[in-house]
Amino acid sequence: MTTPAAVPFRHGLLSISAAAVAWGAGGAVAALLMGAAGLGPVAVCAWRFAVAAGCLALLPARGATGPRRAAVLTGLGLAVSQCAYFGAVRCAGLGLGTLVTIGAGPVLTSLGARLLLGERLTGRAAAANLLALGGLVLLVAGPAGGPRPALGVALAALAGAGQSGLTLWARAGGAARASAGAFTTGLLCLLPLALTVDGGVLPTAGAPLPTAGALLFLGTVPTLLAYRWYFAGLSVVPGATAAVLVLLEPATAAALGVAFFGEPFTLALPAGSALLLTAIATLTRR
């Protein structure tokens, strides 16, 4: 029997799961832009935040926009984690870059939630964490698809730490929101880097229309919508549980990497994905 209290909890699970799948698709689109449009990872992040902030600017304001300090901190966290993530995708490949980025999530978030927030790790959540990490190990065991896997893994670890910190801050009541202020802060942080490190923010290759469509998708679905879904879900879902749900992102990215980017396929991919889905199924029962 479904109790009234379980309904928002399951809505939170669905929101975070949808965000994770959107992020996995976003990684694939980012890899496409970096390969076909000649954009660097920082420039891709800048476009991502620019499109999201622009969309919010066109929408009518609804209620309070939240504290300015919260918007700045959220934007800084997003800029660091997303820039490091896209750098990891370029250096280590879509599958491995995404997997390592998210792989530290369950451990770091569970430990942080227990030590800093006092959230109790239930037996069901612990079992789900073990299943998820086992699936992740199988997925990471495959060969890397990028030219500089060591650097990619280091950037992925930085991205994972940033994402875990943002999750814990949101769970602690840090007022993290996918607001225009947050995306604008991220954009302002990344623009100087995009101009110096990546040599500019304009595409240097590829057809204009598909590139514009890819940028529009990247800024709306995996950025604006996905982060709104994620922060909404964190209002009712414990941090350790959210960290496991986010592992849908690497499964999505790994599958798309094999299907569309020529990354190697091994039997570890379906086996690891099956373990991740089992972990998530374990969490859906409260």
Side-chain angles (χ1 to χ4, degrees), residues 66-67 69-71 73-74 113 116-119 164-177 231 234-239:
R69 177 176 176 270
L73 290 176
T74 303
L116 302 176
L117 307 180
E119 292 184 359
S164 295
L166 195 59
T167 298
L168 292 171
W169 181 57
R171 282 294 297 166
R177 296 180 60 185
F231 289 137
L234 283 177
S235 65
V236 293
V237 175

Side-chain angles (χ1 to χ4, degrees), residues 259-271:
F260 297 105
F261 296 95
E263 296 191 0
F265 174 84
T266 65
L267 292 178
L269 175 59

Side-chain angles (χ1 to χ4, degrees), residues 132-142 268 272:
L133 289 175
L136 194 68
V137 168
L138 287 175
L139 289 169
V140 174

Side-chain angles (χ1 to χ4, degrees), residues 149-276:
L151 177 58
V153 168
L155 289 171
L158 174 62
Q163 182 68 23
S164 295
L166 195 59
T167 298
L168 292 171
W169 181 57
R171 282 294 297 166
R177 296 180 60 185
S179 64
F183 293 129
T184 301
T185 299
L187 174 61
L188 293 176
C189 291
L190 294 178
L191 269 180
L193 288 175
L195 294 173
T196 55
V197 176
D198 286 347
V201 295
L202 297 179
T204 59
L209 191 57
T211 298
L215 290 171
L216 181 61
F217 172 83
L218 188 64
T220 52
V221 180
T223 306
L224 173 57
L225 293 178
Y227 276 107
R228 288 200 159 190
W229 295 334
Y230 184 66
F231 289 137
L234 283 177
S235 65
V236 293
V237 175
T241 302
V244 174
L245 294 173
V246 169
L247 291 176
L248 277 172
E249 177 182 352
T252 302
L256 292 174
V258 170
F260 297 105
F261 296 95
E263 296 191 0
F265 174 84
T266 65
L267 292 178
L269 175 59
S273 298
L275 280 178
L276 291 179

Side-chain angles (χ1 to χ4, degrees), residues 61-160:
R62 294 184 178 181
T65 59
R68 182 176 300 177
R69 177 176 176 270
V72 171
L73 290 176
T74 303
L76 289 173
L78 292 177
V80 171
S81 61
Q82 290 305 305
C83 186
Y85 166 63
F86 286 142
V89 168
R90 166 176 272 190
C91 295
L94 175 61
L96 183 59
T98 304
L99 293 168
V100 177
T101 297
I102 305 301
V107 176
L108 293 176
T109 306
S110 296
L111 287 175
R114 181 69 183 91
L115 297 175
L116 302 176
L117 307 180
E119 292 184 359
R120 186 171 62 91
L121 185 64
T122 65
R124 186 188 302 275
N129 270 272
L130 290 176
L131 284 171
L133 289 175
L136 194 68
V137 168
L138 287 175
L139 289 169
V140 174
R148 304 173 68 185
L151 177 58
V153 168
L155 289 171
L158 174 62

